[in-house]
Amino acid sequence: LEDSAARSEVIEHYAPDGKKIRVGYIKLPSFYLDMEAASAGRSDYRSTTKDVEAILKDFSKKSIDIVVLDLAKNGGGSLTEAIDCTG
């Protein structure tokens, strides 16, 4: 699960007019869900949707201007998570 987990970083970029832009970059290698923990009713289960939501909340605190969601090497995974995360 850790190898498939969402990762993020903040990249500072300068626009042609010289304005600094803070880009929130999220790499998402797959859509994942800890089904065992979720079906057991645990609230701390890992999922794409929960992890991306936490990243976006963190980006909000950091005054990010643009968010990029990188799905280039995403091999798929949980259809439910793909729908929930992107919907």
Side-chain angles (χ1 to χ4, degrees):
L1 191 61
E2 280 305 313
D3 293 339
S4 299
R7 293 174 185 72
S8 67
E9 66 179 291
V10 176
I11 302 167
E12 292 187 352
H13 180 75
Y14 289 90
D17 65 0
K19 180 184 175 193
K20 182 167 62 170
I21 299 171
R22 294 174 50 83
V23 179
Y25 175 80
I26 303 173
K27 182 178 182 180
L28 193 57
S30 73
F31 293 100
Y32 53 89
L33 172 65
D34 182 353
M35 292 181 144
E36 186 176 312
S39 63
R42 293 180 31 201
S43 62
D44 63 341
Y45 67 91
R46 294 286 304 270
S47 76
T48 303
T49 304
K50 289 174 74 170
D51 290 350
V52 169
E53 182 178 15
I55 289 169
L56 291 173
K57 285 180 182 178
D58 183 54
F59 283 172
S60 181
K61 293 176 191 173
K62 294 179 178 176
S63 300
I64 298 301
D65 299 303
I66 298 169
V67 174
V68 174
L69 180 60
D70 183 356
L71 300 173
K73 296 188 180 192
N74 186 306
S78 169
L79 179 58
T80 303
E81 281 302 301
I83 292 167
D84 289 347
C85 182
T86 59

